[in-house]
Amino acid sequence: QEAMAQCPVCELLVAAAAVDAHVNAHFDDGHSAGGGGGGGGGRRPPLLRQTRLPFGHPPPAAAATAPTSARCGARRDREEFVCASVVCDGCGVANFLPRYRCTVCTDYDLCQACRNRGAETLKHKASHPLTKVNLPAAPTPDGYLGSSRTSGVTTLLREYYNAREDLSRNLAFSIADHTDHFASAPEDKGWGCGYRNIQMLCSFLLRVPVFREVLFGGRGEVPSISELQMYIESAWAQGFDPEGSRMLGRCIVGTHKWIGATECIALLCANRVRCRLVEFHRPTRPPNEHPALFEWVWAYFHGGKHCGGAGGGLREYAPLYLQYQGHSRTVVGVDRKRPDGEIRLLILDPRCRLALI
């Protein structure tokens, strides 16, 4: 009997051998993964949940802008991903150059040292011809970011609220300003949402001096996905989240493994950023609603400590990493009907492509 696996997006049972293709289909434009379930096929949630921003109209001058070198950034994204995701089949080293690909075996690559010693395995023989593959030796400073990062989204959102008298009169709101949006690229669709949300958090934190000094050795840049994988493994090596490390086989560099809130916590704690994980493991109102979660988020943005602590950093609140079954998003704010009505979360979703912004 064929092994089955559950899709983490729509919870449909599919053949284990086809689960990767099924998950990726959820992220393809205009394509449905099929088979029912609760995932909604190829439908995308809006970038900013509940705000009804007029994305179909020309944006005002303060609208979010993308780098002019998006095409070059996309090429760097692909090149870095290919480099980082390949593992030598002879010795297991990752992110290596030069790379030698076997023209006989399927998906078989060797590093320089294994090629020189004539490494062999059960399926590969030293007599098989090899082709040298040349790729960039290391990530560029903004590698993996150029085609996915959009700045100014939260600034535009705040201006939208302030410009609408009906909103400012009937709603109380709070927004984590200066949070950039990071969209999933073709190279990480279906598995990279956790990394993209960490990048969104870091885009905010790196603008706060007290965090900028300690994050990633003071480099002051949002890491690429491959770099985040290395930082997470480094956090594991320091003893953070041993259970999560074990569950992921103590290795994520160069892989498509999904990560979640605990990996985000481990990475930030290892970089001397104090974090808190709050779990809402069951609905608090029938049939499947979470008013306790919404109330907690509201209290956080209106009653928590200011980012950076007393006397340091911006007097704002950092965005939140929201993890749930099959996906994660970044909460950049909250609004509430006056005086104590419905609460809505303002969310940035990595699934939203750059073109939609």
Side-chain angles (χ1 to χ4, degrees), residues 297-334:
V297 173
W298 173 264
Y300 167 81
F301 277 103
H302 289 83
K305 292 184 178 180
H306 289 296
C307 184
L314 302 172
R315 293 185 64 80
E316 300 175 13
Y317 300 94
L320 301 171
Y321 185 115
L322 177 62
Q323 177 74 51
Y324 58 94
Q325 178 67 27
H327 193 39
S328 58
R329 297 182 174 121
T330 298
V331 181
V332 295
V334 63

Side-chain angles (χ1 to χ4, degrees), residues 25-195:
H26 285 288
F27 299 86
D28 289 336
D29 289 324
H31 183 76
S32 172
R43 292 177 295 170
R44 293 182 196 280
L47 170 67
L48 296 169
R49 180 71 66 185
Q50 300 289 354
T51 59
R52 296 185 177 86
L53 284 175
F55 289 116
H57 297 79
T65 57
T68 57
S69 59
R71 182 175 299 177
C72 295
R75 180 179 178 182
R76 288 195 299 269
D77 287 356
R78 289 191 295 269
E79 291 173 340
E80 181 190 343
F81 174 77
V82 172
C83 181
S85 62
V86 174
V87 176
C88 174
D89 292 288
C91 64
V93 67
N95 195 19
F96 61 92
L97 286 172
R99 171 159 62 96
Y100 295 89
R101 166 149 289 188
C102 180
T103 59
V104 177
C105 304
T106 302
D107 192 22
Y108 192 93
D109 301 275
L110 293 175
C111 65
Q112 181 77 57
C114 290
R115 180 254 190 184
N116 291 344
R117 67 180 176 84
E120 291 189 346
T121 61
L122 292 177
K123 71 173 184 176
H124 175 78
K125 303 302 179 185
S127 59
H128 291 178
L130 301 171
T131 299
K132 186 176 182 180
V133 180
N134 292 306
L135 288 172
T140 54
D142 68 333
Y144 236 19
L145 307 181
S147 64
S148 63
R149 184 175 190 168
T150 305
S151 300
V153 177
T154 51
T155 299
L156 175 61
L157 179 59
R158 178 176 291 278
E159 292 184 356
Y160 172 79
Y161 271 88
N162 289 334
R164 291 279 302 274
E165 292 186 6
D166 56 326
L167 291 181
S168 59
R169 181 173 60 253
N170 299 318
L171 292 174
F173 70 93
S174 183
I175 297 172
D177 287 324
H178 313 296
T179 304
D180 298 340
H181 177 257
F182 284 80
S184 295
E187 292 76 24
D188 63 274
K189 68 176 182 179
W191 60 270
C193 60
Y195 299 101

Side-chain angles (χ1 to χ4, degrees), residues 219-296:
R219 58 180 285 183
E221 297 173 349
V222 176
S224 65
I225 288 183
S226 58
E227 290 170 329
L228 287 175
Q229 290 179 328
M230 289 185 280
Y231 279 119
I232 291 171
E233 284 196 12
S234 174
W236 289 343
Q238 297 174 54
F240 293 95
D241 191 21
E243 182 178 354
S245 172
R246 178 184 56 79
M247 292 179 62
L248 290 173
R250 299 178 177 84
C251 175
I252 58 173
V253 172
T255 73
H256 297 183
K257 294 178 181 178
W258 295 314
I259 65 167
T262 55
E263 285 73 39
C264 177
I265 289 279
L267 181 148
L268 293 176
C269 287
N271 280 272
R272 300 168 58 192
V273 176
R274 184 178 298 173
C275 304
R276 181 183 181 189
L277 181 65
V278 181
E279 181 181 9
F280 298 87
H281 59 280
R282 64 169 60 94
T284 50
R285 185 171 65 196
N288 253 333
E289 299 181 0
H290 290 267
L293 182 152
F294 282 68
E295 289 288 352
W296 187 92

